[in-house]
C-alpha cells in the first residue's frame, strides 16, 4: 500500500514539475493511474496463456457467423415474463442498430492541426454511438424465399436452433 501511495505522490509531483500545458485533475489522475498500473504489471506480469483457447473460440465464432445462408431463429425476450417469444426464421445474427458500415470518425486538417470529426455513413446519416434496437434479417412469412429487414427494440435472442 505504501508503494502505491508513493507512486501516486511521485506521479502528481512529476506532473507538476514537468509543466504540462494544461494541468487538470483528470490529467493528474491519469498520470497517477498509469504509474500504478506500471507497478502492478511489473509485480504481477502477464498471465501465462499457452493455449489461447478463448482467442481460438472467438475466431471460430466469427467464421461460423460468416457462413453463407446461415439459418437462425429469432425470439424477442420480454423482460416482464422472461419467456422467449418466437419472432421469425432469420438469416445470420442480428446487427445492433448502432453498427456502422464505415469508421464513425475522421481526421480533418483545420487551422494547422488535425481534428477528429464525425463521419457520416454512406447514406449520409450520422449513426448514434449506441442504440437499443437490433436489425434482424427475417425470412418473409409468405414463403416467397425472400428476407426482409426487421427492426426490433426489445431484447432478443438469435439462435442457430429452435427452442
Amino acid at each position: 500500500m505504501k508503494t502505491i501511495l508513493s507512486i501516486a505522490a511521485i506521479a502528481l509531483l512529476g506532473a507538476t514539475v514537468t509543466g504540462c500545458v494544461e494541468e487538470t485533475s483528470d490529467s493528474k489522475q491519469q498520470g497517477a493511474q498509469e504509474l500504478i498500473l506500471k507497478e502492478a504489471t511489473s509485480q504481477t506480469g502477464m498471465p501465462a496463456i499457452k493455449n489461447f483457447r478463448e482467442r481460438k473460440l472467438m475466431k471460430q465464432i466469427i467464421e461460423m457467423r460468416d457462413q453463407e445462408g446461415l439459418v437462425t431463429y429469432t425470439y424477442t425476450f420480454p423482460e416482464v415474463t422472461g419467456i422467449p417469444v418466437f419472432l421469425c426464421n432469420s438469416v445470420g445474427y442480428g446487427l445492433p442498430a448502432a453498427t456502422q458500415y464505415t469508421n464513425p470518425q475522421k481526421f480533418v486538417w483545420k487551422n494547422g492541426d488535425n481534428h477528429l470529426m464525425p463521419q457520416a455513413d454512406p447514406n449520409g446519416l450520422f449513426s448514434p454511438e449506441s442504440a437499443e434496437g437490433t436489425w434482424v434479417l427475417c425470412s418473409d412469412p409468405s414463403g416467397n424465399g425472400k428476407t426482409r429487414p426487421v427492426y426490433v427494440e426489445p431484447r432478443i435472442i438469435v439462435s442457430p436452433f429452435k427452442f
Side-chain angles (χ1 to χ4, degrees), residues 31-113:
Q33 182 67 19
E34 183 61 29
L35 279 176
I36 289 170
L37 289 175
K38 283 181 183 178
E39 178 64 22
T41 300
S42 81
Q43 287 185 26
T44 60
M46 293 294 289
I49 304 293
K50 294 181 180 120
N51 297 313
F52 299 93
R53 186 66 192 143
E54 290 175 320
R55 186 176 178 105
K56 290 174 185 173
L57 288 172
M58 189 69 216
K59 178 181 180 279
Q60 184 178 2
I61 289 168
I62 290 170
E63 289 171 350
M64 291 173 86
R65 287 174 28 204
D66 190 46
Q67 291 179 35
E68 186 71 30
L70 177 64
V71 175
T72 54
Y73 307 91
T74 301
Y75 299 81
T76 59
F77 189 77
E79 293 179 14
V80 174
T81 64
I83 301 170
V85 176
F86 182 75
L87 176 67
C88 67
N89 293 337
S90 47
V91 175
Y93 292 90
L95 291 174
T99 301
Q100 297 183 27
Y101 193 78
T102 56
N103 187 340
Q105 298 177 327
K106 63 181 175 181
F107 281 106
V108 175
W109 184 261
K110 183 178 178 183
N111 297 331
D113 199 8

Side-chain angles (χ1 to χ4, degrees), residues 122-133:
N123 62 4
L125 299 176
F126 292 86
S127 295
E129 289 184 19
S130 66
E132 285 292 315

